[in-house]
């Protein structure tokens, strides 16, 4: 059991995979039921993207992040880019309300962000629209964590299903071979 996130990325024409959905939970879940629930939720209900359509499946890769090694950071700079994911919590001074947000460990490195850029982006992600000052940053409670990633591209999944079930998966009734429906 553990917290987990499911990330979908779309790969087209050998380009850099583009985010297509990412949703998870920081609460402990049974891995199998949690994976199924969050795989569907991140594919269909991430409000930043339209729901994934069946025609996109051959171009997708799915990553499951199992979150581990939770530690309270000493301050907002006490973490390593590329190693730690972050959960920030703070009180919005303008509305006296609690705000929080998280980024998985790979986000800051992928974006090329510094520590401060990451913290500031998390503050905005939490819904805070006020002025970001160093004194406010110093009041943030930071929990850092690490993750173990498992990624599979649709082609690998199709090959696995074919090997273990004797037939490749079908999309809308048509078999998928090497990412393409025959006759398309």
């Amino acid at each position: 059991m553990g917290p987990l996130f499911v990330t979908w990325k779309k790969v087209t024409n050998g380009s850099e995979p583009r985010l297509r959905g990412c949703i998870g939970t920081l609460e402990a879940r049974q891995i199998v039921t949690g994976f199924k629930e969050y795989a569907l939720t991140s594919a269909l209900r991430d409000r930043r993207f339209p729901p994934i359509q069946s025609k996109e499946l051959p171009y997708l890769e799915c990553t499951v992040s199992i979150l581990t090694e939770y530690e309270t950071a000493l301050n907002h700079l006490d973490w390593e880019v590329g190693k730690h994911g972050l959960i920030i919590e703070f009180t919005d001074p303008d509305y006296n309300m609690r705000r929080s947000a998280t980024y998985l460990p790979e986000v800051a490195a992928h974006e090329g962000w510094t520590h401060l850029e990451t913290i500031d982006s998390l503050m905005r992600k939490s819904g805070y629209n006020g002025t970001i000052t160093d004194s406010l940053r110093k009041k943030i409670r930071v929990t850092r964590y690490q993750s173990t990633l498992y990624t599979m591209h649709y082609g690998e999944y199709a090959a696995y299903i074919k090997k273990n079930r004797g037939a490749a998966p079908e999309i809308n009734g048509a078999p998928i071979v090497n990412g393409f429906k025959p006759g398309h």
Side-chain angles (χ1 to χ4, degrees), residues 88-100 122-133 135-137 139-141:
I88 65 159
E89 299 168 276
F90 67 102
T91 300
D92 183 325
D94 300 330
Y95 296 97
N96 195 32
M97 64 184 290
R98 298 291 294 158
R99 297 208 178 264
S100 65
L122 275 168
M123 292 176 77
R124 295 296 181 217
K125 183 181 180 186
S126 78
Y128 178 66
N129 292 316
T131 304
I132 297 176
T133 63
S135 65
L136 181 56
R137 287 187 194 109
K139 294 176 185 169
I140 294 172
R141 180 170 166 240

Side-chain angles (χ1 to χ4, degrees), residues 32-47:
V32 174
T33 54
F35 170 69
K36 180 180 178 183
E37 177 184 349
Y38 285 95
L40 288 169
T41 301
S42 63
L44 304 174
R45 296 197 187 105
D46 187 330
R47 292 189 304 249

